[in-house]
Amino acid sequence: MSGDLSPIDKAKFVAAKKAVDYVEDGMRVGLGTGSTAAWMVRCLGELVREDGLRIKGVPTSTRTADLAREVGIEVISLDEAKWLDITIDGADEFDGELNLIKGGGGALLQEKIVATASDQMIVIADVGKEVESLGAFPLPIEVIPFGWQTTRALVEEMLVSMDVLGRDVSLRMSGDHPYVTDEGNHILDLHLGRIGNPRQLSMVLNQVPGVVENGLFIDICDVVSVGYGDGRVELRDINEGTVETDRLDFVENENLFRDLAD
């Protein structure tokens, strides 16, 4: 497999592979959305099929639900699960306090609901997602379609008093039409450059009429599994204050993930 994967895909794979070690038989598991989370779903599916792992997965998007079923994971709703043992998801950025920006894949609302309904959240990411200060990646906010232009204007006005470098706000598009989330909403991407006070910004954004949720995940992540292109992986536990390192070997003839690397 190592010959087929780019360094960035190797980093995503080892981060995902190490993170699934936290999953135990009988758990209810939140399944994240995005390219890195897809590796995790594939890894869990392999454990279900080959090792007999019994879990129930709560997906954070329709595409994650489809992939989970495809690889053999039993899928249930959050209402059925009521509470989760663990959620494993990716991130667009994370800082030293394990605060996150999420939502690049358009599923931030369901991702935040699922993550906060879990005993533990594990984030999987390649090392390139680590930043000193959040904000280089555009911050997504989910807004209702009704009056979205007014909502954007209110957000732009609010940003004047926030500790950010930029204040450009754009409507996310899908071709010639606005992007629509699984909940039927739109996404505004905030091009801020740097966020000086993520906690304050998150609280203020959610007070703007029309904003459903924002992509700042503050005090939600417990552990980040950071992958490197050479197979190294670090587990950083914010609660324990520990960093564990490991190295995972690649199997040359493994083709389980070939379709994701294409």
Side-chain angles (χ1 to χ4, degrees):
M1 183 177 66
S2 60
D4 298 327
L5 298 184
S6 66
I8 190 70
D9 281 326
K10 291 178 184 177
K12 292 178 179 180
F13 169 68
V14 295
K17 189 75 170 178
K18 191 66 177 178
V20 300
D21 288 346
Y22 284 86
V23 178
E24 300 176 0
D25 201 53
M27 278 188 169
R28 294 157 296 178
V29 183
L31 306 174
T33 293
S35 60
T36 309
W39 295 100
M40 173 270 300
V41 175
R42 290 278 183 176
C43 288
L44 284 177
E46 183 181 27
L47 293 174
V48 168
R49 295 190 310 273
E50 299 187 7
D51 295 352
L53 179 69
R54 295 171 298 172
I55 60 172
K56 294 183 179 180
V58 174
T60 54
S61 67
T62 54
R63 60 185 180 275
T64 295
D66 291 341
L67 177 60
R69 293 188 182 99
E70 177 186 324
V71 300
I73 298 173
E74 180 182 354
V75 171
I76 62 173
S77 70
L78 182 57
D79 287 336
E80 291 175 293
K82 295 184 175 59
W83 195 260
L84 305 177
D85 298 289
I86 191 172
T87 286
I88 306 177
D89 203 349
D92 298 302
E93 285 185 347
F94 69 92
D95 66 14
E97 297 180 353
L98 304 196
N99 294 318
L100 322 170
I101 285 182
K102 289 181 51 56
L108 65 97
L109 177 58
Q110 291 191 25
E111 288 174 336
K112 187 172 283 190
I113 292 172
V114 168
T116 54
S118 306
D119 287 336
Q120 189 175 37
M121 183 190 189
I122 312 296
V123 163
I124 47 179
D126 62 86
V127 68
K129 301 296 176 62
E130 183 176 9
V131 295
E132 185 173 340
S133 298
L134 298 177
F137 189 92
L139 173 65
I141 59 174
E142 187 158 338
V143 301
I144 65 171
F146 176 80
W148 72 264
Q149 294 189 59
T150 299
T151 301
R152 179 172 66 180
L154 290 170
V155 169
E156 290 172 337
E157 181 180 0
M158 176 273 295
L159 288 174
V160 173
S161 62
M162 293 291 104
D163 183 8
V164 295
L165 286 181
R167 297 194 297 271
D168 291 338
V169 180
S170 61
L171 176 67
R172 187 176 299 185
M173 303 295 290
S174 178
D176 296 330
H177 303 282
Y179 178 86
V180 178
T181 70
D182 281 354
E183 301 301 318
N185 297 318
H186 295 333
I187 286 184
L188 298 177
D189 288 309
L190 280 53
H191 304 267
L192 306 177
R194 180 190 61 82
I195 302 172
N197 191 332
R199 189 183 310 277
Q200 178 191 43
L201 180 61
S202 178
M203 293 176 61
V204 174
L205 276 171
N206 283 4
Q207 299 303 311
V208 176
V211 173
V212 181
E213 189 51 85
N214 69 81
L216 286 166
F217 283 51
I218 309 298
D219 298 331
I220 296 176
C221 175
D222 297 288
V223 176
V224 61
S225 176
V226 185
Y228 294 78
D230 61 0
R232 287 180 297 132
V233 60
E234 290 180 354
L235 290 176
R236 305 181 190 176
D237 189 317
I238 193 69
N239 300 313
E240 299 295 332
T242 58
V243 178
E244 298 179 12
T245 60
D246 198 0
R247 183 183 295 272
L248 302 183
D249 294 326
F250 294 95
V251 181
E252 293 292 343
N253 62 357
E254 177 63 75
N255 60 11
L256 178 63
F257 308 105
R258 191 180 304 276
D259 59 330
L260 291 177
D262 290 341

